[in-house]
Amino acid sequence: MGVNRRHFLKWGLGAAAAAAPKLLAQTATPKPDPKAAAAESAGCLVDTTLCIGCRKCEEACNRRNKLPRPEVPFTDAAVFREERRPNDKAFTVVNEYAGSPSPDQSATKQTHVKVQCLHCLTPSCVSACIVGAMVKAKDGAVVYNPKVCLGCRYCMVACPFQIPAYEYDVILKPRVRKCEFCADFAKGTGADPACAASCPTEALVFGTRSTLLTLAKNRISQRPDRYLDHIYGENEVGGTSWLYLTGRPIAEVGLLDVPTYIPAHKTESIQHGIFRYGIIPLTVYGALGGLMWYNQRRAQKGQPPDGPGSETTKGGSHEHE
Ligand code: SF4
Ligand code: SF4
Ligand code: SF4
């Protein structure tokens, strides 16, 4: 269905009315301790000192999520020449960094680091999404609902790990794409996100967050020569469901240096300040509606869309029924 301005504003006002109670409810809800709440939710430990860079995890993720085959085959190590980030066609990537993965220089020569959504305990992407298209599920996964997504890409801007990607080359109904933690949570702690199930070296361990933290601390105390005394994700951005062990400083192996405070709380306080005055939601949705209408016009003229995250824009629009 084509999107015209009237349809758009009508839809935008309807969305504003539907979303306002959720946003006002957020204002009134006291914040629980996310770490305590997440202790028994699912997580994954990435031990970069055990990763051999085989990219089996990438291949398994690609298959599980029915993503297109990559330009560089999964068996081709030439892919490591450039540092990569996850994108709309690869929800996880493995990068290679020169230098021993452990402080004692005893292991292999390179460090390999798998990157994907870390499933933050208090996700900025969820906080930034004004229509609730991003949701933190009780099991620990941060999942996405394309049916309510506006296409505003605020989640992409908000993510401190630069994870969500947009289907810029999809003309009809482009989605935000990222790892949605495809574990079969009904099986408890069975090794079943596809990536962890395929890992031949146990560099990826699936389990509850509390179990993984205990495991990581044990590994550090038993092999202080091998590991830095830092579990990346234990405290970063208030804690994440995916955790990392490294033998080298995080800055050397591509893990982003993020704060330990929860960025989402800052986003929320701005959002709550805005919504305190009631009439502003319509202004926000009106602005978003205008942006989408404008981008639709640009797409029709063959021009790239404008707005958040548009610097890499190739074209496209977002339609709603
Ligand atoms: S949990 Fe699933 S979606 Fe996420 S990186 Fe692993 S295989 Fe991909
Ligand atoms: S890493 Fe980014 S996309 Fe993933 S949950 Fe955290 S804020 Fe959201
Ligand atoms: S499957 Fe395991 S060892 Fe292979 S690249 Fe992925 S995390 Fe590393």
Side-chain angles (χ1 to χ4, degrees), residues 57 60-62 64-65 91-92 114 116 119 178-183 193-196 242:
C57 50
C61 180
N62 177 285
R64 170 71 70 99
N65 292 290
F91 299 166
T92 187
K114 177 184 183 297
Q116 73 297 302
H119 299 272
K178 72 173 196 71
C179 158
E180 295 195 49
F181 208 163
C182 61
C195 52
W242 281 60

Side-chain angles (χ1 to χ4, degrees), residues 136-155:
K136 175 79 174 171
K138 282 199 178 125
D139 55 30
V142 175
V143 294
Y144 167 71
N145 181 356
K147 288 185 183 158
V148 297
C149 177
L150 285 169
C152 66
R153 290 161 273 160
Y154 285 176
C155 54

Side-chain angles (χ1 to χ4, degrees), residues 2-15 150 285-296 318-320:
V3 177
N4 59 39
R5 192 175 187 182
R6 187 185 306 161
H7 175 86
F8 205 22
L9 288 174
K10 182 180 157 197
W11 181 89
L13 292 174
L150 285 169
Y285 283 104
L288 285 172
L291 176 65
M292 291 171 69
W293 176 77
Y294 173 68
N295 282 340
Q296 176 75 11
H318 199 167
E319 284 191 326
H320 295 273

Side-chain angles (χ1 to χ4, degrees), residues 46-48 50-58 80 92 94 112-114 195-196 198-204:
V46 184
D47 187 336
T48 62
L50 294 175
C51 179
I52 56 173
C54 66
R55 299 178 66 213
K56 297 274 185 212
C57 50
E58 282 189 43
F80 293 134
T92 187
V94 179
H112 294 96
V113 181
K114 177 184 183 297
C195 52
S198 70
C199 179
T201 66
E202 297 187 16
L204 304 176

